Amino acid sequence: MADSSLNPYLRAQQSFREAVDILGLEAAVFDLLKQPMRFFEVAVPVVRDDGSLEVFTGYRSQHNDALGPTKGGLRFHPNVDADEVRALSMWMTVKCALLRLPYGGGKGGVRCDVDQLSEAEIERLSREYIRAISLVIGPDKDIPAPDVSTNPQIMAWMVDEYSRIRGENTFGLITGKPLVIGGSRGRVEATGRGLVFATRQLALALGIDFSKSVVAVQGFGNVGSVAAEICHHLGATVVAVSDKDGGLYNSGGIDMGQLMEYKKTHRTLAGFSGAEPISNQDLLELPVDVLFPAALENQITADNAKNIRARIVGEGANGPTTPEADAILFEQGVMVVPDVLGNAGGVTVSYFEWVQNQTRLYWSESEVNRRLEEYMVDAMSAMHEMHERFGVTLRKAAYLVAVERVAQAMRVRGWLR
Ligand code: NAD
């Protein structure tokens, strides 16, 4: 049998298999979920700036639409391949169902290196990719969003191209757009904010007063810096933060206002005088209440898991804990808010963006944040309940909640016999 730890598609299948078995559902549920319902591979011809033609390969995977149209990001990256896209669309099914969003999972991408392309070439690539998949996407079919190396500007070109093809403005096609063409307030901060909402809810269930908790954050980008700032705002003491240049530690708490100012001018945390340097490895092993890995995958591994002294690990990054480390943390009683919930604030506010586009009624930022909190808290509660019912990790519990909901939808729609 192939080593499933190496292939994301096999790993995703294994997680679904396990959830179907634990829930005692019929084999047909797994048979329907083990692969995307629809999967497209497309040629994306792009005229380079020198006049030559280069044909890139693009994908779009629509895993399961029992709960609604499929939804998920688009990445532009040299490692994009069919199995990765399939797996990521399966994880989106879990995220959307867990958050009770009326969506199934989708994902897409183009195998390319954006560093080798000019801005004009990236625009042509974005437009050609949307042309190639235009027949199979749409606000009620499949709704893309930004992911690795794609951004609001790329979403704007894509929605423009689709609107030209359709002959009508179709802002609900895609989310993560600039505010001026139907983006949502609060979208940029949504992932970090949602991470804190979910983690605070778990702390509550564990009897930890979040406002008095001690926090460490790995990664100070879009997710980590927002999470750190909100923790500080809620009264927690952020004792350590880090970026790719190293970490900062102050046992009395880091002044987040000063640090944000420093980061704005210096674009790095290195050299900030309000804290001592700390290595990224030592940061992970600090005796804190909450640790947020919000940078890269595979940071907590079989090698360092036994040294983790946090009571809660809130995963902002995708896949920061390896499966072996997950098992060790579970044995040690460290609770992990899994990435499928931890960073689901992004897709939740993407859903709000789509709702606002469809209704043409735009919300204030406080309205967005209030609703985001409701969704994150509801998902955490459902997941925690499953965790207690079956005695499994929160990560497995997330799959149980999601698979149960998708199976229920497939059953009432008459897909199962
Ligand atoms: P980002 O590029 O804005 O920030 C990444 C941060 O990690 C930077 O501060 C960088 O310096 C730091 N970093 C890089 N290498 C590091 C290292 N070795 N040690 C410590 N820090 C390091 O990215 P982001 O948008 O904040 O995303 C972070 C993670 O969250 C990624 O795994 C991403 O896939 C995931 N995620 C992000 C979103 C979102 O909405 N931004 C949504 C879902 C998942």
Side-chain angles (χ1 to χ4, degrees):
M1 196 176 148
D3 180 358
S4 63
S5 67
L6 299 178
N7 182 311
Y9 184 37
L10 295 177
R11 251 181 33 221
Q13 286 182 329
Q14 208 168 51
S15 302
F16 276 98
R17 160 104 271 163
E18 201 176 17
V20 168
D21 289 348
I22 293 175
L23 290 166
L25 297 169
E26 58 269 54
V29 174
F30 178 69
D31 290 340
L32 282 165
L33 293 178
K34 73 182 179 198
Q35 62 205 335
M37 301 179 78
R38 288 176 290 276
F39 184 81
F40 307 97
E41 179 171 331
V42 293
V44 186
V46 175
V47 179
R48 301 294 303 260
D49 290 343
D50 66 5
S52 66
L53 186 82
E54 185 165 349
V55 182
F56 295 88
T57 303
Y59 304 95
R60 187 71 192 168
S61 174
Q62 300 172 347
H63 175 238
N64 180 286
D65 62 6
L67 287 168
T70 47
K71 172 117 196 66
L74 293 174
R75 53 177 64 175
F76 285 176
H77 196 272
N79 293 347
V80 166
D81 69 23
D83 277 358
E84 182 190 73
V85 173
R86 284 189 185 99
L88 291 169
S89 72
M90 292 164 84
W91 283 319
M92 284 306 296
T93 294
V94 176
K95 250 189 204 187
C96 293
L98 175 64
L99 269 293
R100 239 190 252 286
L101 309 182
Y103 293 138
K107 204 78 181 190
V110 178
R111 194 183 314 136
C112 65
D113 182 353
V114 285
D115 293 339
Q116 304 301 319
L117 299 171
S118 69
E119 196 183 356
E121 288 169 337
I122 294 174
E123 175 175 353
R124 290 197 286 276
L125 175 77
S126 306
R127 290 184 183 276
E128 287 299 337
Y129 171 70
I130 282 301
R131 282 198 160 268
I133 61 166
S134 62
L135 286 178
V136 299
I137 57 173
D140 293 309
K141 278 188 194 169
D142 182 15
I143 306 127
D147 196 76
V148 177
S149 298
T150 55
N151 56 35
Q153 175 60 72
I154 289 176
M155 300 303 109
W157 289 324
M158 288 180 167
V159 83
D160 181 70
E161 190 65 25
Y162 186 82
S163 296
R164 285 175 190 220
I165 294 167
R166 300 278 313 206
E168 58 195 25
N169 271 320
T170 318
F171 289 166
L173 167 77
I174 211 161
T175 59
K177 299 180 294 294
L179 212 55
V180 69
I181 55 164
S184 178
R185 291 188 170 78
R187 173 66 182 82
V188 175
E189 301 81 13
T191 305
R193 191 179 294 280
L195 175 62
V196 177
F197 286 150
T199 307
R200 185 173 61 165
Q201 187 61 19
L202 177 62
L204 190 69
L206 299 178
I208 300 171
D209 181 350
F210 194 82
S211 69
K212 296 199 175 73
S213 61
V214 175
V215 174
V217 185
Q218 185 196 44
F220 208 69
N222 183 27
V223 179
S225 69
V226 171
E229 226 185 341
I230 296 174
C231 286
H232 180 70
H233 182 71
L234 291 173
T237 307
V238 181
V239 294
V241 295
S242 67
D243 65 10
K244 62 179 179 345
D245 301 321
L248 297 171
Y249 175 70
N250 182 336
S251 60
I254 298 172
D255 185 319
M256 295 308 296
Q258 279 181 13
L259 185 63
M260 295 301 285
E261 275 307 307
Y262 185 88
K263 166 94 194 288
K264 225 182 270 169
T265 29
H266 297 83
R267 306 181 71 84
T268 176
L269 302 179
F272 177 68
S273 59
E276 301 297 316
I278 186 173
S279 73
N280 260 302
Q281 201 49 48
D282 290 345
L283 179 146
L284 294 174
E285 299 176 8
L286 285 171
V288 291
D289 296 304
V290 182
L291 169 67
F292 289 115
L296 305 168
E297 64 282 0
N298 300 334
Q299 294 302 293
I300 305 178
T301 64
D303 292 335
N304 63 358
K306 55 190 175 314
N307 303 332
I308 301 294
R309 288 183 283 169
R311 298 166 75 188
I312 300 176
V313 172
E315 294 185 341
N318 281 317
T321 312
T322 65
E324 303 77 42
D326 224 18
I328 297 171
L329 294 180
F330 187 59
E331 266 170 37
Q332 289 179 178
V334 179
M335 297 289 276
V336 178
V337 179
D339 49 7
V340 277
L341 176 63
N343 61 35
V347 67
T348 303
V349 175
S350 267
Y351 161 56
F352 298 162
E353 179 177 334
W354 176 81
V355 170
Q356 293 170 79
N357 296 151
Q358 301 297 75
T359 59
R360 272 80 166 161
L361 180 65
Y362 287 85
W363 308 345
S364 66
E365 186 166 348
S366 58
E367 176 73 5
V368 169
N369 294 344
R370 184 185 66 74
R371 289 181 191 263
L372 173 62
E373 181 166 12
E374 257 176 45
Y375 276 73
M376 298 303 296
V377 165
D378 174 77
M380 174 50 87
S381 304
M383 203 173 73
H384 196 252
E385 221 175 277
M386 275 295 187
H387 153 79
E388 293 200 316
R389 193 161 121 207
F390 290 101
V392 294
T393 62
L394 289 173
R395 195 183 313 280
K396 285 186 184 164
Y399 276 82
L400 297 180
V401 174
V403 168
E404 188 169 68
R405 288 179 182 165
V406 175
Q408 230 174 353
M410 294 197 298
R411 183 162 297 112
V412 294
R413 290 183 70 157
W415 296 5
L416 302 169
R417 285 287 174 263

